């Protein structure tokens, strides 16, 4: 109250009639106590409160305000009242165009319905239907904020006078005169500026709102819109934050505490000022007893209880790397807003229910597989992605080990050279081009090849020695570099680029010969997706992690159904599966990559051991594992858990197999489709032909050719013999050795046995 020069007698004269009115009101309330709270007014009578009543309220408000501030002159009061009455004319007749959409947090769910993240913006709010708010909580709010809520039609004249009188007697603000409807209008429609115009519009809209919405709807909006301090909005969120329970479970004392906070959260919040919160709570309980919402015994028992409130912050995301992956997809999707800011508002304040494909059982198995193998804080990082081949659903994703220290998602953002795990794309391109699985080559090391631009490419095997002659199957099982260098040179790198892209690789690839050895960078997410095409018998399903998104109104605004397309002939896919299955049973994955059921895979290790991969699949899951040092791309994987040099078939294969064993628990064993029978061909007779003619004839028959020079009586450059012998029926693609004469004389050469190469761990 403003102090200064004033006339005490004049103030007393103005307050006298209000004292009498307040006495009558208190008497009426006391008389009503035994019978309970006032019954709701018949809706048919609500429209009988006319605008002239509101004028009277504003006139009284203006008169008391002026008297309190010692502004002289009854004429001034009259002019002010007439001004207010004039401004009320032409007010809104309805609430057309007014949005009562309240910001609320979004929730991300795993495939089983478990909450894995709650996303809250500036307003942490969880909308709860009025049916879920118990009567005790509704009554506590009504008792302290608007005891005549069910009687007025938006503006409570008696409440205004009562609040003014109480505040005058107290010498400050002790009660508010606004109804629940007015408070809702103030917060949602007209704003909070302290002007008479705003108060008039508030009253106008309050009456209009009551014409179009039921009391139940208005109360629901108010309870969910109200601020409860600590960044918490809505009574459901407040119960969760202060008590760690659902609003449906609050006690009488807790309901009274929450109701008391609304008037001034900074003052009455239990964490901000426990003493004031206690006093305010007890005031609410007293009001509830007076109004019949609780008996005096119940209220006193509740008042005797200490305040037990503490901060229950939102839990951290269960799988933060996956959650960030989901958030980024929404923030990048124009469906949720034209600008990123609009999409962020939808994500953090739109009340979205985001249902994902993540399987928490598999996710835990993936995280455990990594932590079981990489047990030291000094160990390198690992990433894992597992996809369901038949749908494209992402079932597990490990993007790192410590999100707080490094938020970079290695599974999606971490693109690194794939090494030999990229070789299957060259293999598949060759199979599509008609190269049979039995295609055989010699594998010298080093070998030099010239690309289309005339550049010489020098390639070494892992062992830095020749591995002898071998077919496509064995070269894949043992990951022989010189074989694959010759293979991509034969079919052309453009075919490999096209094959990798249609299988699911989305990173930039260029048609270089080195592509065969995985020199371009890709992510585990892409590799898992591409290999899933082989697991699904040549049908590629676009990977996705969001199953559906439901908005705050219950409408499904996004749904991802499997998008699958055949990109490989099923016979080619079966051939590729059979070859890669040999990697697990006989090749570089045989030591650590077996899981007790049919599986196919490929190991990968880059030069100088900077990156190690193990990517493999069954018909049920396609899983890629990468290992390396994220912050130092040049650091080799040396001396880790007994491995002097880490390669794909070592620690990455261990992680893969540990995860895949758990993933397949309870899943029936399924085999890959049988590949078509290996084609046979008859070896033509090329003896006596010049070498170039002999080579052309053999290649036309589907064979590869190796030349050896021998002493022979044939003319120089003429084929003196061949192995296998002419007329032999052998697998197509087999290497035919032709013995070319040097013209020096001598007998026909004896065939030499094929050299069996040593396995190599790449």
């Amino acid at each position: 109250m403003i102090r200064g020069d004033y006339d005490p007698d004049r103030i007393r004269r103005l307050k006298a009639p209000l004292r009498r009115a307040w006495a009558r009101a208190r008497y009426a309330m006391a008389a009503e106590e035994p019978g309970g709270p006032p019954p709701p007014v018949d809706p048919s009578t609500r429209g009988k409160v006319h605008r002239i009543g509101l004028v009277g309220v504003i006139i009284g408000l203006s008169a008391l305000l002026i008297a309190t501030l010692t502004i002289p002159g009854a004429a001034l009061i009259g002019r002010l009242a007439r001004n207010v009455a004039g401004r009320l004319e032409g007010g809104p007749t309805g609430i057309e165009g007014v949005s009562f959409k309240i910001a609320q947090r979004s929730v991300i769910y795993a495939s089983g319905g478990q909450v894995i993240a709650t996303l809250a913006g500036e307003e942490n709010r969880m909308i709860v239907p009025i049916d879920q708010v118990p009567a005790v909580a509704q009554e506590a709010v009504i008792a302290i904020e608007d005891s005549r809520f069910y009687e007025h039609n938006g503006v409570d004249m008696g409440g205004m006078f009562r609040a003014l009188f109480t505040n005058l007697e107290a010498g400050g603000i002790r009660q508010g005169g606004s109804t629940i409807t007015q408070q809702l209008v103030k917060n949602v429609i007209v704003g909070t500026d302290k002007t008479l115009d705003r108060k008039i519009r508030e009253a106008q809209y309050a009456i209009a709102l009551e014409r179009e919405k039921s009391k139940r709807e208005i109360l629901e909006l108010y309870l969910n819109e109200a601020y409860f301090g600590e960044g918490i909005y809505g009574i459901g969120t407040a119960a969760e934050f202060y008590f760690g329970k659902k609003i449906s479970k609050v006690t009488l004392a807790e309901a009274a505490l929450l109701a008391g906070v609304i008037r001034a959260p900074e003052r009455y919040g239990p964490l901000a000022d426990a003493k004031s919160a206690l006093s305010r709570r007890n005031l609410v309980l007293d009001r509830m007893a007076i109004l019949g919402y609780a008996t005096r015994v119940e209220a006193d028992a509740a008042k005797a209880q200490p305040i037990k409130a503490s901060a229950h912050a939102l839990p951290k995301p269960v799988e933060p790397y996956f959650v960030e992956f989901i958030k980024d997809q929404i923030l990048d999707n124009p469906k949720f807003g034209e600008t990123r800011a609009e999409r962020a508002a939808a994500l953090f304040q739109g009340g979205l229910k985001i249902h994902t494909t993540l399987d928490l059982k598999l996710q835990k198995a993936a995280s455990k597989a990594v932590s079981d193998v990489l047990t030291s804080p000094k160990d390198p990082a690992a990433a894992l992605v597992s996809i369901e081949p038949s749908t494209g659903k992402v079932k597990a994703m490990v993007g790192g080990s410590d999100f707080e220290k490094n938020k970079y998602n290695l599974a999606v953002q971490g693109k690194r050279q794939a090494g030999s795990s990229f070789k299957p794309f060259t293999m598949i391109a060759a199979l599509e081009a008609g190269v049979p699985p039995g295609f055989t080559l010699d594998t010298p090391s080093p070998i030099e090849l010239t690309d289309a631009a005339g550049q010489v490419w020098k390639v070494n095997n892992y062992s830095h020695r020749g591995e002898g002659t071998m077919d496509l199957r064995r070269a894949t099982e043992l990951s022989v570099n010189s074989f694959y260098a010759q293979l991509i040179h034969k079919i052309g790198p453009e075919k490999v680029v096209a094959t990798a892209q249609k299988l699911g690789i989305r990173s930039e690839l260029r048609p270089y010969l080195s592509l065969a050895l995985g020199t371009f960078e890709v992510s585990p997410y892409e590799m898992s997706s591409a290999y899933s095409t082989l697991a699904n018998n040549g049908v590629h399903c676009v990977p996705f992690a969001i199953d559906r998104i439901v908005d705050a109104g219950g409408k499904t605004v996004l749904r991802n159904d499997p998008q699958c397309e055949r990109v490989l002939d099923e016979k080619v896919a079966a051939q590729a599966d059979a070859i890669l299955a040999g990697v697990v049973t006989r090749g570089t994955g045989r030591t650590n990559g077996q899981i007790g059921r049919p599986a196919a895979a490929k190991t990968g290790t880059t030069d100088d051991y900077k990156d190690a991969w193990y990517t493999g699949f069954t018909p049920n899951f396609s899983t890629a594992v990468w290992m390396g040092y994220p912050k130092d791309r040049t650091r080799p994987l040396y001396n880790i858990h007994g491995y002097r040099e880490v390669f794909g078939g070592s620690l990455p294969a261990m992680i893969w197999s540990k995860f895949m064993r758990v993933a397949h628990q309870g899943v029936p064993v399924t085999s890959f489709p049988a590949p078509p029978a290996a084609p046979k061909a008859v070896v033509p007779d090329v003896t006596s032909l010049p070498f170039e003619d002999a080579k052309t004839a053999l290649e036309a028959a589907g064979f590869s050719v190796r030349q050896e020079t021998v002493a022979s009586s044939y003319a120089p450059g003429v084929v003196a013999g061949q192995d296998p012998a002419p007329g032999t029926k052998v697998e197509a693609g087999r290497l035919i050795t032709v013995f070319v004469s040097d013209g020096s004389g001598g007998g026909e050469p004896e065939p030499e046995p094929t050299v069996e190469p040593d396995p190599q761990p790449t």
Side-chain angles (χ1 to χ4, degrees):
M1 182 175 181
I2 299 176
R3 302 295 181 182
D5 296 331
Y6 64 96
D7 182 353
D9 292 334
R10 184 180 176 199
I11 297 298
R12 281 193 295 271
R13 287 196 300 274
L14 286 168
K15 290 166 64 175
L18 293 175
R19 289 179 186 275
R20 289 193 294 272
W22 177 229
R24 287 194 296 271
R26 283 185 295 182
Y27 177 81
M29 287 195 302
E32 291 172 350
E33 181 176 355
V41 173
D42 186 337
S44 65
T45 68
R46 289 175 59 193
K48 296 180 181 179
V49 178
H50 300 292
R51 189 164 297 182
I52 189 63
L54 180 59
V55 175
V57 174
I58 302 299
I59 292 173
L61 172 63
S62 302
L64 287 173
L65 178 62
I66 293 169
T68 304
L69 300 178
T70 67
I71 300 175
L76 181 59
I77 296 175
R79 287 197 300 273
L80 181 60
R82 288 192 296 273
N83 183 36
V84 170
R87 293 188 185 187
L88 281 170
E89 295 301 323
T93 58
I95 55 172
E96 297 84 357
V98 175
S99 173
F100 284 90
K101 185 177 180 181
I102 300 174
Q104 57 178 305
R105 67 197 191 193
S106 297
V107 181
I108 301 178
Y109 302 90
S111 61
Q114 308 94 328
V115 175
I116 59 175
T118 304
L119 310 178
E122 294 181 358
E123 298 184 14
N124 179 9
R125 178 187 284 109
M126 172 184 61
I127 299 294
V128 292
I130 193 70
D131 290 339
Q132 295 180 18
V133 181
V136 67
Q138 297 182 40
E139 292 163 353
V141 172
I142 290 172
I144 196 64
E145 290 297 322
D146 187 359
S147 62
R148 292 168 50 82
F149 175 67
Y150 287 108
E151 298 177 33
H152 62 68
N153 76 330
V155 176
D156 182 10
M157 294 177 289
M160 277 190 170
F161 281 113
R162 182 174 66 250
L164 286 169
F165 176 76
T166 301
N167 294 338
L168 284 171
E169 288 225 302
I173 301 299
R174 291 294 180 268
Q175 288 188 12
S178 296
T179 64
I180 282 176
T181 312
Q182 286 176 281
Q183 293 180 54
L184 178 62
V185 165
K186 176 183 68 176
N187 293 337
V188 176
I189 302 177
V190 302
T192 59
D193 57 298
K194 300 181 183 299
T195 65
L196 185 58
D197 282 343
R198 196 272 297 166
K199 287 297 294 182
I200 293 173
R201 285 186 292 113
E202 176 186 295
Q204 291 172 331
Y205 273 109
I207 293 176
L209 178 61
E210 294 252 357
R211 291 195 189 105
E212 299 194 16
K213 289 188 179 293
S214 68
K215 290 288 188 180
R216 186 177 180 81
E217 292 173 317
I218 291 170
L219 184 59
E220 180 178 82
L221 284 168
Y222 177 77
L223 291 174
N224 282 295
E225 193 282 332
Y227 180 54
F228 288 83
E230 308 293 339
I232 304 302
Y233 291 79
I235 197 167
T237 320
E240 175 190 80
F241 178 79
Y242 288 117
F243 309 127
K245 61 171 65 174
K246 294 181 179 180
I247 184 62
S248 60
K249 303 296 184 182
V250 296
T251 63
L252 172 61
E254 291 167 341
L257 178 67
L258 294 179
V261 171
I262 296 174
R263 178 64 58 186
E266 294 78 10
R267 179 177 180 183
Y268 298 128
L271 305 185
D273 188 339
K275 185 176 180 180
S276 295
L278 178 63
S279 177
R280 179 72 173 173
R281 181 203 68 177
N282 292 344
L283 174 62
V284 174
L285 291 167
D286 286 337
R287 288 286 298 155
M288 293 181 75
I290 291 173
L291 295 170
Y293 291 130
T295 66
R296 174 49 60 186
V297 172
E298 291 171 335
D300 288 344
K303 288 170 67 176
Q305 297 177 20
I307 290 180
K308 296 180 179 179
S310 59
H312 295 77
L314 290 175
K316 293 182 179 180
V318 174
E319 298 298 336
Y321 289 103
F322 182 79
V323 167
E324 288 300 307
F325 178 58
I326 296 298
K327 288 163 60 177
D328 286 342
Q329 291 183 64
I330 296 173
L331 292 173
D332 292 337
N333 191 341
K335 186 179 185 68
F336 296 95
E338 294 183 1
T339 67
R340 192 171 179 86
E342 291 175 346
R343 298 192 284 269
L347 177 60
F348 294 102
Q349 302 177 43
L352 302 178
K353 292 179 174 59
I354 305 162
H355 299 269
T356 73
T357 62
L358 189 74
D359 186 316
L360 277 187
K361 174 193 171 185
L362 300 186
Q363 180 65 27
K364 292 176 181 177
S367 298
K368 188 174 187 301
V370 172
S371 62
D372 283 352
V373 173
L374 301 178
T375 56
S376 171
K378 296 181 180 180
D379 282 343
L384 182 152
V385 177
S386 187
I387 291 174
E388 185 176 71
S390 60
T391 62
K393 293 181 179 181
V394 178
K395 308 303 288 185
M397 177 183 290
V398 177
S401 58
D402 192 335
F403 185 76
E404 294 302 321
K405 291 183 178 179
N406 186 2
K407 294 178 171 55
Y408 190 72
N409 189 337
L410 298 171
V412 179
Q413 299 168 303
K415 296 184 178 183
R416 303 290 282 263
Q417 289 185 349
S420 294
S421 60
F422 206 85
K423 285 176 179 173
F425 304 120
T426 300
M427 174 191 71
I428 294 165
L431 293 172
E432 287 191 298
V435 176
F439 179 68
T440 306
L441 290 171
D442 193 14
T443 59
S445 180
I447 187 173
E448 292 185 354
L449 301 168
T450 303
D451 64 17
Q455 299 294 318
V456 176
W457 180 39
K458 184 177 180 179
V459 178
N460 271 298
N461 292 328
Y462 171 82
S463 62
H464 291 275
R465 67 174 186 267
E467 300 293 353
T469 59
M470 60 182 63
D471 62 15
L472 178 58
R473 301 184 187 90
R474 193 59 177 159
T476 304
E477 293 170 1
L478 301 180
S479 198
V480 180
N481 291 341
S482 65
F483 185 101
Y484 269 89
Q486 295 176 80
L487 186 60
I488 194 172
H489 188 267
K490 174 181 174 66
I491 64 174
E494 295 81 6
K495 287 186 173 65
V496 178
V497 170
T499 297
Q501 289 175 339
K502 70 181 181 182
L503 263 67
I505 299 298
R506 298 293 174 258
S507 294
E508 181 184 11
L509 303 174
R510 296 183 181 179
Y512 299 157
L513 293 177
S514 62
L515 184 67
L517 305 186
T519 54
F520 283 85
E521 295 183 345
V522 293
S523 69
Y525 184 76
E526 294 174 281
M527 292 294 283
S528 178
S529 171
Y531 274 56
S532 74
T533 307
L534 299 176
N536 199 28
N537 199 28
V539 175
H540 175 66
C541 296
V542 178
F544 64 97
I546 297 176
D547 183 70
R548 68 188 186 281
I549 298 178
V550 180
D551 68 13
K555 178 183 177 182
T556 299
V557 294
L558 184 146
R559 178 182 292 279
N560 283 321
D561 295 317
Q563 300 179 43
C564 303
E565 177 187 5
R566 176 165 294 284
V567 296
L568 285 182
D569 181 271
E570 57 186 5
K571 293 181 180 179
V572 172
Q575 288 175 328
D577 291 350
I579 293 172
L580 293 175
V583 174
V584 178
T585 58
R586 299 182 298 274
T588 56
R590 68 185 182 279
T591 302
N592 297 310
Q594 298 196 36
I595 58 173
R597 64 173 62 211
K602 184 67 189 76
T603 56
T605 312
T606 57
D607 290 344
D608 299 325
Y609 301 93
K610 297 185 291 291
D611 302 278
W613 294 74
Y614 195 88
T615 306
F617 55 91
T618 66
N620 309 103
F621 299 102
S622 173
T623 304
V625 175
W626 166 86
M627 185 181 297
Y629 290 100
K631 295 183 179 180
D632 187 353
R633 299 170 69 91
T634 64
R635 184 178 177 182
L637 296 166
Y638 289 163
N639 301 315
I640 302 170
H641 298 296
Y643 285 91
R644 185 172 65 87
E645 298 164 334
V646 173
F647 48 90
S650 61
L651 299 179
M654 289 182 190
I655 293 173
W656 184 90
S657 62
K658 282 179 176 290
F659 166 75
M660 292 290 271
R661 286 178 181 275
V662 175
H664 287 86
Q665 288 178 357
V667 177
V669 175
T670 306
S671 298
F672 297 114
K680 301 283 187 177
V682 176
V683 179
D685 186 356
V686 295
T687 307
S688 309
L689 296 177
F691 171 71
E692 290 300 329
D693 292 345
K695 180 181 178 184
T696 299
L698 289 169
E699 288 180 344
F703 298 103
S704 56
V705 179
R706 180 177 65 180
Q707 175 187 2
E708 287 189 15
T709 302
V710 296
S712 171
S713 58
Y714 281 89
V718 173
V719 176
Q722 63 187 75
D723 180 33
T728 306
K729 192 173 185 179
V730 297
E731 184 177 353
R734 180 169 172 176
L735 182 69
I736 306 298
T737 302
V738 293
F739 302 98
V740 180
S741 174
D742 64 0
S744 63
E748 294 186 5
E750 292 293 330
E752 296 182 3
T754 300
V755 177
E756 181 69 20
D758 294 329
Q760 54 182 339
T762 60

